Amino acid sequence: MEQQHSNTPISKHRSKIINFAKNNGTSLVEKKTGATEVLMSRFQPQQKFEIENKKGWVQWGEDNLFPQYLGFLYKNEGLHKAIIRGKAAYITGNGTSIKEIDAILPAISHNIAMYEFAVVEYIYSRDGQSIAERNVLNSASCRFSWNIDSFEIDGVFYSRDWTQESKKKGKPEYIPLLNRMNVRGINEEGEEIIAQPRQVAIIFGTEVEDGRYYPETSYSGGLSWIEIARLTGEFHRNSLENGLFPSMMVTYKGVKEEEQDAVLNELEQQVQGASNTGKFIVNFTDTDGAVEFTPITTNDADKLYQWQVEAARDAILQAHGVTTPLLFGIRTS
């Protein structure tokens, strides 16, 4: 039996989504005032990966930027930031009543709360008899130096920008561990000189696992939830900027292909502007008929987002070991 074919032409469709006041997102690396911040335009899982680099330092993360990722989460997730700041304040407490220590204690506490260790730089006087300066280095800017014989930490490499380590402004600088015997030395002429005026002391907040160099952050188990909370906030911000969700699908019928761009431009000009910010789905078909406007509903999406916010909050509090959120200025139901 011969198969019959319909003479009715198959309808051709052309669809386009128009975003008004759309957000362009963030780049992976953004430079500001000489510093580089690692920004994530989408979720990219990070791991505390360690590699003993041939250049002398232990890479922290497969891309050597794991602490920069931790710093990015700290800056961009409010609950996580509040807990870190609260922990740092509790570590500092009322101080020690020793002027030299109390001057640097808040910075030490913040680095321990964030990275579980702090690096204090000591700069000796010209005669090597006294300490002229004490500075707390940002732990994220430091990478431990490893001894090729003992595989133990013998100092740190400090870089202002680890994404520029091969360039002059980010070139890592080696600073040895604090050792009073290494301050003074003898030059080739037999004269006594200041051999290593800059040295560092490393203060650990928690014990380091066997075979590891960098300690595990206390909140490492909640990194995914911290990222979810950040992305949820970013999603809602972009939704507001883009007029929440696609609220309408506009279907034009019988518009010739060469006329479609003109129709799109005219529609965009009619609804653009802050007061008309929104998102439409524009669809073209070759069938004749009047323009159709089809509302798009979200189907109780607000309940899903509320669950996400609550689940992320509880998981972050649990990861930090917070049993009484009010101690950190966080009010819960």
Side-chain angles (χ1 to χ4, degrees):
M1 183 177 180
E2 184 179 355
Q3 185 177 3
Q4 295 181 352
H5 297 274
S6 172
N7 294 326
T8 304
I10 299 175
S11 177
K12 297 180 180 180
H13 297 268
R14 179 190 176 191
S15 300
K16 182 179 181 180
I17 297 179
I18 298 181
N19 299 302
F20 300 107
K22 59 186 178 182
N23 184 280
N24 293 325
T26 56
S27 59
L28 184 63
V29 177
E30 180 181 63
K31 296 181 180 178
K32 290 183 178 179
T33 62
T36 300
E37 296 180 358
V38 176
L39 305 181
M40 315 300 288
S41 58
R42 62 183 179 86
F43 176 46
Q44 297 181 352
Q46 300 287 302
Q47 297 180 356
K48 191 180 79 67
F49 195 83
E50 297 182 358
I51 300 177
E52 287 135 349
N53 194 300
K54 293 181 180 179
K55 297 178 181 179
W57 61 80
V58 182
Q59 286 190 199
W60 196 358
E62 191 170 0
D63 56 1
N64 200 28
L65 295 176
F66 181 72
Q68 277 67 30
Y69 173 68
L70 296 181
F72 171 74
L73 291 182
Y74 169 78
K75 293 179 181 178
N76 291 276
E77 208 296 298
L79 177 60
H80 173 57
K81 184 175 185 177
I83 296 174
I84 290 293
R85 296 180 68 175
K87 283 185 175 181
Y90 286 127
I91 294 172
T92 301
N94 294 324
T96 63
S97 300
I98 301 175
K99 183 179 179 180
E100 293 79 4
I101 296 179
D102 288 344
I104 59 176
L105 187 56
I108 292 175
S109 301
H110 177 78
N111 278 282
I112 289 178
M114 273 283 293
Y115 307 106
E116 300 296 333
F117 74 92
V119 179
V120 182
E121 176 191 41
Y122 292 83
I123 302 178
Y124 282 86
S125 59
R126 291 185 177 182
D127 60 7
Q129 298 300 318
S130 61
I131 296 174
E133 293 183 34
R134 295 177 180 85
N135 304 310
V136 179
L137 304 180
N138 183 2
S139 296
S141 299
C142 298
R143 300 294 183 272
F144 292 159
S145 170
W146 63 288
N147 187 292
I148 193 171
D149 296 320
S150 64
F151 288 89
E152 294 181 353
I153 300 171
D154 60 10
V156 300
F157 280 89
Y158 174 81
S159 171
R160 295 181 180 273
D161 186 352
W162 280 99
T163 66
Q164 305 287 326
E165 67 175 70
S166 60
K167 299 181 180 179
K168 183 177 179 180
K169 77 171 192 174
K171 184 178 180 180
E173 179 183 4
Y174 172 72
I175 310 175
L177 274 182
L178 183 64
N179 185 343
R180 185 69 180 84
M181 301 299 294
N182 292 334
V183 175
R184 306 189 70 82
I186 305 296
N187 63 14
E188 295 179 355
E189 287 76 24
E191 300 173 337
E192 191 177 52
I193 59 172
I194 303 299
Q196 294 176 337
R198 296 182 62 193
Q199 300 183 21
V200 294
I202 302 174
I203 305 171
F204 289 94
T206 58
E207 293 184 1
V208 182
E209 300 176 11
D210 291 340
R212 298 280 185 173
Y213 293 93
Y214 301 104
E216 193 80 36
T217 57
S218 60
Y219 54 88
S220 61
L223 287 178
S224 294
W225 281 106
I226 296 171
E227 184 68 58
I228 289 173
R230 183 191 73 82
L231 289 174
T232 300
E234 185 175 299
F235 171 80
H236 287 301
R237 177 178 63 82
N238 289 334
S239 295
L240 290 171
E241 290 183 355
N242 292 321
L244 295 178
F245 305 95
S247 55
M248 188 74 65
M249 182 171 72
V250 183
T251 303
Y252 289 94
K253 300 181 178 181
V255 179
K256 296 180 180 179
E257 187 171 353
E258 58 269 18
E259 299 175 349
Q260 292 177 5
D261 289 336
V263 172
L264 288 173
N265 292 334
E266 183 179 356
L267 176 63
E268 191 168 352
Q269 290 177 3
Q270 289 176 354
V271 298
Q272 70 182 355
S275 60
N276 294 316
T277 298
K279 182 183 291 186
F280 294 85
I281 298 178
V282 181
N283 186 40
F284 292 96
T285 69
D286 59 357
T287 58
D288 294 330
V291 179
E292 291 184 358
F293 296 88
T294 306
I296 299 176
T297 59
T298 58
N299 296 326
D300 297 329
D302 57 324
K303 295 180 181 178
L304 173 62
Y305 302 137
Q306 182 179 359
W307 173 85
Q308 285 180 335
V309 170
E310 293 176 353
R313 179 196 63 200
D314 293 342
I316 293 171
L317 291 173
Q318 184 177 7
H320 278 286
V322 176
T323 57
T324 308
L326 278 177
L327 291 175
F328 297 85
I330 301 167
R331 183 175 296 278
T332 57
S333 58

